[in-house]
Amino acid sequence: MTTFLRGTIALQTLVVFLAPVTAGLLLTTPNGHVLHSASAYTVWVVAVVQVVAAVLVWRPGGGSPGMIVYAVVFLGLVTAQVVLGIAHVKTVHVPLGVLLFGLSLVQLSRPSAYLPLRGRSRRPDRRASHVAA
């Protein structure tokens, strides 16, 4: 299940990256708004799937509950991003999009966040003891 969570974060990073590409099409082609809108709602759906995956990794899989917090916060920011885009508030919409991409990259680069709690050590330079497992 942790592979599924990691896959959703990779997919999330990809679709968040593609949103500015479709924003460029929004500026250059007559029907670019349709593609940008589709990419925005795709990001939102992937964020919802990530919340579900984080809960499934945490509850039955013994994963970190911190992933749920991250997923819910990210979903809230994506929802705000969609609302700001619909309202044409570009002064907040664009920087928030950059923040979302950065958060997604940071989360994707953290492999220990996907491990069950009992497989991690408190100190990164040491392996977890058998007592903690």
Side-chain angles (χ1 to χ4, degrees), residues 64-85:
S64 171
M67 290 302 298
I68 298 170
V69 173
Y70 167 78
V72 168
V73 168
F74 195 86
L75 177 60
L77 289 173
V78 168
T79 302
Q81 178 76 340
V82 169
V83 169
L84 289 167

Side-chain angles (χ1 to χ4, degrees), residues 43-74:
V43 171
W44 191 85
V45 168
V46 170
V48 169
V49 170
Q50 183 186 346
V51 170
V52 172
V55 170
L56 291 176
V57 166
W58 167 68
R59 193 63 182 149
S64 171
M67 290 302 298
I68 298 170
V69 173
Y70 167 78
V72 168
V73 168
F74 195 86

Side-chain angles (χ1 to χ4, degrees), residues 63-116:
S64 171
M67 290 302 298
I68 298 170
V69 173
Y70 167 78
V72 168
V73 168
F74 195 86
L75 177 60
L77 289 173
V78 168
T79 302
Q81 178 76 340
V82 169
V83 169
L84 289 167
I86 291 169
H88 301 289
V89 184
K90 293 179 186 118
T91 56
V92 182
H93 181 75
V94 172
L96 183 55
V98 173
L99 175 68
L100 288 171
F101 183 64
L103 287 173
S104 191
L105 279 176
V106 167
Q107 197 62 25
L108 186 62
S109 69
R110 295 183 56 218
S112 66
Y114 310 103
L115 295 175

